[in-house]
């Protein structure tokens, strides 16, 4: 399924209209449909007015209750998948102010208890030294000092032992020279230090590790409810349980190929020594 970013907002409206139209065509009131689906009437109403976006499993329950024909099931299911996906383009983030983006990330991190980060290209801000963060912000417009401060503030979440973090980094991500080599050695040393925290697992995947699946994108999974995927021009937010589940499966496959604990620290020390 392909779509343009502007489709995402429209798909929510289209989905609401299709569900309302299909119910009326079946000759059912919202209350009767709700009973058939074991939902509340207010929930059906919110779905049909666009006040709330139904998950794909909710849409499937409604379609079964309405005995929808196969061609409509395909169309409406596709709409539901798009409606549960959000596109956040980078230029919009810049216009709103990068500090607002940092507040959004802090909110996601505060609400989650199990966080998983797949980092094939660069080190994420939660693990980064101030020099590394400053360098990574060099391509963003405006004064980076506020964003730098907010990123450093967010790092406090790492010490919340009620949360668990798993970071998977490829060798490229660890050794990509975002900063000069002496500073990179310091950055790698920070990874080693953080790996000793009881609630943090830092896994590294050395070059040459045989993994049939390519490391397509940076992504983060918050519990089992939301996934963000990043590229050069922005990020996508997936809320559909099937999309989240697929990313968890991909994460687990890479996790099996990663080195953790003492083995990871030994490699990190070797890489840090090289850059010193």
């Amino acid at each position: 399924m392909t779509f343009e970013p502007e489709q995402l907002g429209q798909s929510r409206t289209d989905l609401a209209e299709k569900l309302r139209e299909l119910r009326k065509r079946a000759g059912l009131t919202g209350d009767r449909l709700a009973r058939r689906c074991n939902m509340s009437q207010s929930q059906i109403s919110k779905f049909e007015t666009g006040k709330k976006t139904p998950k794909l499993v909710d849409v499937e329950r409604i379609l079964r209750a309405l005995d929808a024909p196969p061609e409509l099931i395909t169309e409406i299911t596709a709409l539901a998948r798009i409606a549960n996906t959000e596109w956040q383009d980078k230029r919009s983030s810049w216009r709103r102010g990068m500090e607002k983006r940092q507040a959004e990330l802090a909110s996601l991190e505060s609400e989650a208890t199990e966080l998983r980060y797949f980092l094939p290209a660069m080190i994420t801000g939660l693990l980064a030294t101030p020099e590394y963060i400053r360098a990574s912000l060099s391509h963003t417009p405006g004064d980076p000092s506020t964003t730098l401060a907010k990123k450093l503030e967010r790092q406090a979440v790492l010490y919340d032992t009620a949360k668990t973090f798993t970071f998977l980094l490829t060798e490229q991500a660890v050794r990509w020279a975002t900063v000069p080599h002496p500073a990179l050695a310091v950055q790698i040393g920070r990874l080693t230090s953080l790996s000793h925290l009881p609630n943090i697992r830092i896994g590294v995947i050395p070059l040459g590790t045989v993994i049939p699946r390519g490391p397509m994108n940076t992504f983060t999974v918050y519990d089992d409810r939301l996934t963000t995927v990043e590229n050069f021009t922005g990020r996508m937010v997936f809320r559909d349980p099937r999309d989240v589940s697929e990313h968890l499966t991909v994460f687990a496959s890479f996790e099996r190929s990663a080195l953790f604990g003492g083995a990871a620290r030994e490699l990190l020390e070797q890489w840090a020594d090289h850059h010193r």
Side-chain angles (χ1 to χ4, degrees):
M1 180 179 61
T2 59
F3 58 88
E4 299 296 328
E6 60 267 20
Q7 278 185 266
L8 298 176
Q10 184 60 41
S11 67
R12 297 184 182 95
T13 302
D14 291 344
L15 178 61
E17 290 176 355
K18 289 285 185 184
L19 291 175
R20 184 169 61 251
E21 176 188 325
L22 197 57
R23 173 183 59 77
K24 289 182 176 179
R25 193 185 303 172
L28 293 177
T29 64
D31 187 53
R32 285 183 63 194
L33 175 59
R35 287 199 298 270
R36 284 191 182 187
C37 298
N38 196 27
M39 297 179 182
S40 67
Q41 191 277 329
S42 64
Q43 191 173 12
I44 294 292
S45 176
K46 287 175 183 176
F47 291 161
E48 293 186 358
T49 56
K51 292 180 180 177
K52 184 176 180 181
T53 302
K55 295 179 180 178
L56 190 57
V57 290
D58 297 325
V59 171
E60 289 174 342
R61 285 164 67 188
I62 291 170
L63 294 175
R64 281 197 300 272
L66 293 172
D67 196 23
E71 63 275 12
L72 270 179
I73 290 175
T74 300
E75 177 189 350
I76 295 175
T77 300
L79 272 178
R81 288 186 71 84
I82 298 175
N84 277 277
T85 305
E86 179 183 346
W87 169 253
Q88 300 174 344
D89 70 277
K90 193 153 287 185
R91 289 183 179 83
S92 293
S93 292
W94 289 344
R95 284 195 298 270
R96 291 188 302 119
M98 291 297 289
E99 60 274 13
K100 290 185 179 178
R101 174 60 189 160
Q102 293 306 306
E104 291 168 359
L105 287 171
S107 176
L108 284 174
E109 290 153 1
S110 68
E111 291 169 4
T113 57
E114 186 170 6
L115 301 94
R116 302 171 179 88
Y117 299 78
F118 179 60
L119 306 165
M122 284 182 67
I123 295 168
T124 186
L126 282 183
L127 303 176
T129 61
E131 189 167 354
Y132 191 100
I133 294 172
R134 191 177 291 109
S136 69
L137 292 171
S138 61
H139 63 283
T140 61
D143 180 7
S145 57
T146 302
T147 305
L148 171 62
K150 292 293 184 184
K151 279 180 174 281
L152 292 174
E153 274 180 33
R154 281 177 46 221
Q155 293 180 355
V157 76
L158 295 174
Y159 302 93
D160 182 351
T161 54
K163 301 178 185 294
T164 60
F165 298 85
T166 303
F167 298 92
L168 295 183
L169 299 99
T170 63
E171 182 174 346
Q172 173 182 299
V174 176
R175 303 184 67 177
W176 187 266
T178 301
V179 291
H181 287 270
L184 185 57
V186 173
Q187 171 61 77
I188 296 173
R190 173 168 167 77
L191 298 180
T192 302
S193 297
L194 288 171
S195 73
H196 287 284
L197 292 177
N199 61 323
I200 293 179
R201 299 173 68 237
I202 292 183
V204 294
I205 303 174
L207 285 173
T209 304
V210 177
I211 305 177
R213 192 164 199 165
M216 299 286 288
N217 295 93
T218 292
F219 66 85
T220 305
V221 185
Y222 299 88
D223 295 324
D224 58 356
R225 60 186 176 81
L226 184 147
T227 299
T228 61
V229 178
E230 297 186 39
N231 60 31
F232 278 113
T233 57
R235 61 185 58 82
M236 298 190 75
V237 181
F238 295 96
R239 293 183 174 83
D240 189 288
R242 297 183 190 186
D243 291 322
V244 177
S245 177
E246 177 62 22
H247 281 90
L248 286 171
T249 299
V250 172
F251 189 90
S253 71
F254 288 131
E255 189 175 12
R256 287 191 290 271
S257 299
L259 301 175
F260 288 89
R265 285 190 282 272
E266 185 177 339
L267 261 184
L268 289 170
E269 284 298 328
Q270 289 175 17
W271 297 339
D273 283 342
H274 174 84
H275 291 290
R276 289 189 189 102

